Amino acid sequence: MESVIDPNLNADIYRNMTAADRPPVPDKNLQFILIHNEKSAILGGTNMTDRYWSGTVWYYNDILDFTREKAFIATKTESGVCDGAHLGQDKFVISEDSGVLQILGLVETADTQLQELQSLGYACLHDSSLLTLSVFQDNARLVTGGMDYCIKVWDTAELIATHSFSFAHTDIVTSVDVQPKSTTTFVSTSLDCEALMWDIRQPNPAQSILKKQLFGLTTVNWNSVLDHIIAIGTDNGDVILVDTRKASDSALQNAKVFPRSVHKLLFNPNPERSEEIACCCDDTLVRVLDINRNFSLIYENERHTDFVRGLAWYKDELVSCSWDNSVNKHTIHPCDDH
């Protein structure tokens, strides 16, 4: 009697199959979510359970329902996706595990008059996985960092690296974030335990703003209203608030927020609620904290069943995505209600 159980995907039977012949495997490990002007959204996922490490990007023109069947259009990538950012309503950039930086856009085909996501350009100048990116406000330049310890500043029109800082850190670059309303300044974090603020106009562009002795720095986010305030996460589960106007290593606040490594921090872009910061870690927790009250807890949720990776603000809601293949919405009440 023949077995009704499919063989392991690493078995010999699958090794020489083409992509068209292989059985479909859903990209259930969602990596990031982006919402643009409350009108459209991008969801990125990576296939971590198949023999082939690929990814998918879904584009939504309606942000009420993030089930994959409701996506307006989707496209596959040749390697896993790590991060993304909008360059406009129907144009965005993604970073991939292979080191590829790719710009995708919604394009109407001439023969069918249908819209599809097309690659508008790509480059591969990083020597390892491209983990993080951030776009300056004018959309003319962006910053990338990755596992090759390198940071690059790119011209988005030509997709060429105008600045390349080899060994910008002495370990993996975990996160970069541009200063709001600036076209030259950004901050970076690394597992080398140091956060650097960069100004590419200067002959010596990097300045240390935080250095920890024992814990790597895993993520960073700039407050969109108070542009001198930066939040930094560590692999020890701490969240640190830094004032860039003060001397190096002077933290405003430091709190143990998670039992595991902090993965993402995201300030509320609403000017009236800029004290709220959403955060997630290598766990199922989603939390929102108040930086004006010593990181007091505003909201907590544990609906996800796997690591939470992506966060996005939308009006009074926070949207999260996870490796459990789900997208959850969280209604966050103003701080004064708590």
Side-chain angles (χ1 to χ4, degrees), residues 11-40:
D12 289 340
I13 189 173
Y14 288 102
R15 291 188 179 179
N16 296 319
M17 281 187 176
T18 65
D21 294 331
R22 292 196 302 269
V25 176
D27 298 326
K28 80 178 197 71
N29 303 101
L30 302 180
Q31 295 282 76
F32 66 85
I33 186 166
L34 310 167
I35 297 176
H36 182 68
N37 290 341
E38 302 177 357
K39 296 179 180 178
S40 63

Side-chain angles (χ1 to χ4, degrees), residues 26-30 43 45 58 66-69 304-307 320-328:
D27 298 326
K28 80 178 197 71
N29 303 101
L30 302 180
L43 184 65
W58 295 269
F66 286 105
T67 56
R68 256 47 89 230
E69 294 77 15
H304 288 292
T305 59
D306 206 335
F307 287 2
S320 61
C321 69
S322 164
W323 280 354
D324 64 7
N325 195 30
S326 70
V327 178
N328 290 338

Side-chain angles (χ1 to χ4, degrees), residues 6-15 22-25 47 49-52:
D6 289 335
N8 187 291
L9 294 183
N10 289 322
D12 289 340
I13 189 173
Y14 288 102
R15 291 188 179 179
R22 292 196 302 269
V25 176
N47 173 15
T49 59
D50 192 10
R51 180 178 178 81
Y52 300 90

